[in-house]
Amino acid sequence: MAPSEHRAEAAHPLAGPLFDPGSVAVVGASESPRKWGYWLATGALAGRDRRAVHLVNRRGGALGGVPFRPSLDALGARPEHVVVAVPPPSVRQTVLDGLAVGARQFTVVTSGAHGEEGPASAPAEERALAALVAAHGGRLLGPNCMGVVDTGTELNLTWGEFPRGDIGLVSQSGNLALELARLLRRSGQGISRFVSLGNQRGIDAADVLDSLVGHEPTRVIAAYIEDFRDGRRLARTLAAARDAGKPVLLLTVGRSAASGRAAASHTGALVSARATVRSMCQEAGALLLDSAGELVDTAVALLSPARATGRRVAVAGDSGGQGALAADELAERGLDVAEPSPDTAEALSRLLPAGAARGNPVDLAGAGEADLTTYARVARTLLTGDADAAVLTGYFGDYASDNPEHEWLECAVATELADAVGESGRPLVVHTMARDTAALRLLRSRGVPVYERVEQAAAALANAVRWAEGTRLDDGAPPPGPDPDADGATAAPVCDGGYRTLRELLGARGIVFPEAEFVTTADEAAEAAGRVGFPLVLKAMGLAHKTEAGGVALGIGDEARLRAAFARMSRATAAGSYAVEAMARIPHAVELIAGVRHDPAFGPVLMAGIGGVTAELLADTALCLAPVTHARARNLLLSLRHAPLLHGWRGAPSLDVDAAARALTALARVAVEHPELAELEVNPLLVHPSGAVALDAHGVLARDGTAP
C-alpha cells in the first residue's frame, strides 16, 4: 500500500485493525492441513515481512519455524488482530483473553458460539459477544466467517487463493467467494480486498462497503448479501460508491415471504424482497445481477481501459453466423447494432475483400485468416468511427493453437487491438472459441475483456452500458425517516387516532374518495342510499380481495337491488360493516394500484402500478423507498410499462399524473407516520383527466389484524 493511499484511508475505522494490523494472532493454529487453523496460520505467516505474527495452540507445536504459544497472555506482546478458530464453547473465553491483552479486532471463523445451552442459544450469544467487544472499543467480524484478505497489505487470513486485482469482494458465502475468485483468475483479474461477513454480529456489509469506497486500489465492488440489516444505511453506502465513480455489483438470494403475504393484500403479492432490493439498487445507482458468472463478466468489462458510454455497438467477425448471433444477443439486451455511417463503411471497404459485408455486423469473409493484421485494422476503424463500443467475435486468439508459428503475429495483433482501445477511448469486447492462448493472455493483461460465449460478452457490455447510463436518483427526496413536513409529534396509532376507517385517515392527508356511508344492516343501507343516491356501489369492509370474495356489487340502481345485493354479500362474506358508495363513472380513467409495505430491512417501501383486479396478472409495478417527493412519485408512475396509457392512448386525453403522484406521496406519508400498519393499499386509484380518486383502501396491522 502506498503511503498516500494509507493516509487517505486512515480515517476509516476498519483501515488499520481489519485490513492492515501491526500484529496478528491466530488462536487455534494447527500443524495439520486438514484443519482451518493450518490455513489461517499459513496465510498469516505469508505476511511476516509486514507485521508480527503469533500462533496460539494450548497443546503446543510449530509451523514454518514459528512455535505455538499456549495462550494469548503468553505472547509477551499485544496482538492488534486476533483470529479465533477454536471450538464453539471456547470462543467467548478466547475473546475475553484477547480483550485482556489489548486486542481490539476479532475475526471469529468458528461457526456459532454456544455454551451450555447448545446451538439454539448461539444467536443471542453471538450478539452478546459483539456487544462485549464493542464495549471495549473493538470490532468483531463474524462469527461463522471465512476471514479477510487484503492483497495490497499482504494480509491473508482465510482459506483458498485470492489473486491480486482491482475488485473489492464482500460475501456472506465463503464458497461463493471462492468461486468468484477462481472465475476472476481465469478472466485475468483478481481482488483488492475480500471480507467474509459471516453472521454480521459486529462488522456488517455496509461497514465493509463503506471502507471500499475510499480504498484507492479497489475500482469495482462486488457483493453477495443475504441479510441486509439496516437497508437504508446500506443504500446510502451504495449511493456514496456511485458518487465516487465505483460500480457496485450486487448478488442476493430470491427468497421472500411474498407468497405468504399474498393472502393479506395485493401489495404483499407484488412487492417481493428481491423487487425491493432491485428498487434500492436503482435508487442508489448499483447493479443487481443474477449469477456469479454475470458478476465476474460485468466486473471485467467495467475494468476495461475504456468504459462504454453509449448504446451504439459495432460487430465484426470472421463468420457471418457468429456475427449475426452476436448482433441478436446485443440487440436483445437493448444495445443498438445500427448501420455504420457512410464514412465508416467507406473505410471498411478499403480493408475488406469484394463481397465482404460492410454493414453491421461486419463479415471479414476470410480477410482475417489471410492477413491477421486485418483484425486490428478493422477494429480500429470501428472504434474510431461512430460506434460507442465494438465486439470482435469468432476465431481470433486460436490461430496459434493450429499453427504455433502464428503466435508472435497473433500477439502483435492483440497489442494493436489493445492500443486501439486506449487511443480511441472506446471499449472492445472479444468473444472467441479459444480458451487460453498467448494472444488472449496479452489482451487480458491489457484490460481487454475476453469471453468464451457471445452471450457473456453481450450481457457484460450491456451491464457496463447500463451502469454508465444509470445515475443515483437524487431529486431532492427527503432522507429516510419521518415526513419532512410533519411537526415532529408522533402520530397516534391508526386505531386510536380518532379515525373510524382508513378512508378518513387517508382523506385527512388529501386522498380523494367517493362519497360513502358505512352501515351494518340492510335497513341502514337503504337509508344511506337515499342520501348517497343511485346508482351506487355496495362493498363489504375488512376484506383485502373484495371482488374474489363476492364483496363488491356495482351499478346498483334501486333499493330492491340494493337489499338483494346486501343479502347475497352478507351470506358470502359475513362482513361486520359495509360501504354504500357513490358510483364513480369517469370516462378515460385508468385504474392504478398504490401500496406501502414495511420491509424488515428497508422500512416502508412504496409501490405503484397498474391496478384493479388485474394488478397481479399484469405485475406492472415500480418501487421506491418511502417517504417520497412529488417528483419521485411522478417518475415512479412514468416508469411503468403501461405509462403511455397515462399520456393518452390512441386519441384519449392525457390523465392527471400529478394528482396521482400527490396521492402516492400522501399514502407514503401516512405509512411512515403509522408504522403499526405493516401494509397499506389503495386499489384501485382511478386517475382521470382532471384528478385521481381512490375507490378502495385496505390496511394490515403489524399485530396480525386488519385495519378498519
Side-chain angles (χ1 to χ4, degrees):
M1 179 182 288
S4 61
E5 174 199 326
H6 190 86
R7 285 195 301 272
E9 257 203 307
H12 199 279
L14 302 184
L18 183 64
F19 295 115
D20 192 16
S23 59
V24 168
V26 179
V27 184
S30 174
E31 299 171 288
S32 172
R34 293 177 298 174
K35 295 185 177 181
W36 262 91
Y38 171 86
W39 296 104
L40 292 166
T42 300
L45 290 172
R48 274 185 293 177
D49 291 342
R50 188 177 181 95
R51 63 183 57 84
V53 176
H54 310 284
L55 306 181
V56 178
N57 189 311
R58 61 185 177 84
R59 293 188 178 89
L63 184 65
V66 178
F68 295 166
R69 301 301 181 189
S71 62
L72 286 169
D73 60 7
L75 299 182
R78 180 183 74 88
E80 188 175 358
H81 187 148
V82 174
V83 183
V84 182
V86 298
S90 302
V91 168
R92 181 178 176 82
Q93 187 59 53
T94 300
V95 171
L96 286 170
D97 293 344
L99 292 171
V101 298
R104 293 297 178 263
Q105 174 63 55
F106 295 85
T107 295
V108 182
V109 175
T110 305
S111 176
H114 63 85
E116 295 181 357
E117 295 183 21
S121 65
E125 293 191 17
E126 289 173 0
R127 287 190 289 270
L129 192 69
L132 174 67
V133 173
H136 285 77
R139 303 295 294 268
L140 183 142
L141 177 64
N144 191 28
C145 76
M146 206 172 79
V148 58
V149 174
D150 189 315
T151 56
T153 66
E154 301 176 65
L155 183 75
N156 184 5
L157 303 178
T158 189
W159 175 80
E161 295 184 14
F162 289 86
R164 186 167 184 168
D166 305 309
I167 298 168
L169 176 59
V170 185
S171 179
Q172 277 192 265
S173 167
N175 276 355
L176 179 60
L178 289 174
E179 178 186 1
L180 290 167
R182 293 184 182 184
L183 291 173
L184 286 169
R185 181 187 290 278
R186 294 171 198 164
S187 300
Q189 253 300 336
I191 70 154
S192 55
R193 284 176 171 171
F194 160 59
V195 177
S196 173
L197 295 171
N199 296 346
Q200 298 191 92
R201 300 304 183 194
I203 294 171
D204 63 15
D207 292 324
V208 180
L209 290 171
D210 185 60
S211 74
L212 294 174
V213 173
H215 184 232
E216 186 175 339
T218 296
R219 295 171 54 204
V220 171
I221 300 171
Y224 170 73
I225 304 173
E226 297 174 359
D227 181 356
F228 288 87
R229 298 299 170 97
D230 185 348
R232 302 245 169 170
R233 175 168 162 257
L234 182 69
R236 291 192 293 270
T237 303
L238 297 185
R242 177 82 210 193
D243 291 344
K246 291 192 178 183
V248 178
L249 313 180
L250 179 64
L251 295 178
T252 190
V253 291
R255 294 178 302 207
S256 89
S259 60
R261 292 191 304 268
S265 72
H266 291 284
T267 300
L270 293 169
V271 183
S272 70
R274 185 173 178 84
T276 301
V277 174
R278 183 183 300 112
S279 171
M280 180 272 293
C281 286
Q282 290 171 346
E283 291 191 54
L287 292 180
L288 179 62
L289 304 177
D290 293 327
S291 69
E294 185 185 16
L295 184 148
V296 169
D297 293 340
T298 302
V300 170
L302 287 165
L303 289 168
S304 169
R307 287 180 182 172
T309 58
R311 292 184 170 267
R312 298 170 302 172
V313 181
V315 180
D318 39 36
S319 161
Q322 286 177 302
L325 287 174
D328 283 348
E329 291 286 347
L330 293 162
E332 186 176 328
R333 290 166 174 81
L335 300 179
D336 184 10
V337 189
E339 286 295 305
S341 68
D343 289 345
T344 301
E346 176 60 28
L348 290 170
S349 68
R350 294 193 291 269
L351 302 174
L352 300 174
R358 294 163 175 78
N360 192 12
V362 178
D363 184 358
L364 273 62
E369 183 178 343
D371 180 0
L372 288 181
T373 63
T374 304
Y375 283 104
R377 287 183 281 127
V378 168
R380 185 180 294 274
T381 299
L382 296 176
L383 289 172
T384 56
D386 51 343
D388 298 305
V391 174
L392 181 62
T393 177
Y395 200 75
F396 181 79
D398 217 18
Y399 288 99
S401 301
D402 297 328
N403 184 353
E405 294 181 1
H406 278 121
E407 183 173 296
W408 70 270
L409 180 55
E410 206 166 23
C411 286
V413 173
T415 299
E416 286 292 319
L417 290 171
D419 288 345
V421 171
E423 293 164 11
S424 67
R426 297 173 182 174
L428 172 70
V429 172
V430 176
H431 157 244
T432 174
M433 60 185 74
R435 296 209 74 178
D436 187 23
T437 64
L440 300 186
R441 289 193 294 272
L442 192 153
L443 285 172
R444 290 183 175 119
S445 72
R446 295 284 300 274
V448 176
V450 179
Y451 302 103
E452 288 187 39
R453 300 192 305 277
V454 71
E455 59 268 27
Q456 290 177 275
L461 183 57
N463 283 334
V465 171
R466 187 156 62 97
W467 189 85
E469 290 182 341
T471 57
R472 179 166 68 87
L473 296 181
D474 186 3
D475 54 9
D483 187 278
D485 296 328
D487 59 10
T490 301
V494 63
C495 293
D496 303 324
Y499 299 105
R500 286 182 56 218
T501 67
L502 279 178
R503 289 182 178 224
E504 294 181 16
L505 174 62
L506 296 173
R509 285 300 188 193
I511 296 179
V512 177
F513 288 87
E515 180 184 357
E517 293 193 21
F518 300 94
V519 301
T520 58
T521 67
D523 289 339
E524 290 177 0
E527 292 177 7
R531 293 183 291 271
V532 171
F534 293 103
L536 54 77
V537 179
L538 181 67
K539 296 179 181 178
M541 302 304 292
L543 302 180
H545 303 279
K546 292 181 174 63
T547 301
E548 293 91 329
V552 177
L554 303 174
I556 299 174
D558 55 47
E559 182 177 334
R561 290 185 176 88
L562 174 60
R563 289 183 178 276
F566 191 98
R568 289 194 302 271
M569 197 173 294
S570 180
R571 289 193 299 269
T573 68
S577 65
Y578 302 82
V580 176
E581 180 179 286
M583 184 77 182
R585 291 181 171 177
I586 306 174
H588 307 296
V590 170
E591 290 186 341
L592 301 177
I593 181 173
V596 181
R597 181 178 67 86
H598 279 265
D599 183 271
F602 295 98
V605 179
L606 173 67
M607 178 270 294
I610 299 300
V613 295
T614 61
E616 290 154 319
L617 177 65
L618 295 176
D620 182 6
T621 61
L623 310 177
C624 68
L625 304 183
V628 295
T629 61
H630 181 84
R632 179 75 60 83
R634 197 176 196 282
N635 289 337
L636 201 67
L637 292 168
L638 297 180
S639 71
L640 298 173
R641 296 193 311 273
H642 292 80
L645 294 174
L646 305 177
H647 296 301
W649 179 250
R650 292 184 176 247
S654 294
L655 307 184
D656 194 343
V657 177
D658 285 317
R662 287 192 294 273
L664 292 185
T665 59
L667 187 71
R669 180 173 178 176
V670 169
V672 170
E673 293 174 344
H674 293 276
E676 73 276 9
L677 287 168
E679 294 179 16
L680 180 59
E681 178 183 293
V682 170
N683 183 33
L685 175 66
L686 209 62
V687 57
H688 53 88
S690 57
V693 57
L695 299 189
D696 201 6
H698 179 75
V700 177
L701 293 173
R703 297 185 296 274
D704 298 323
T706 298

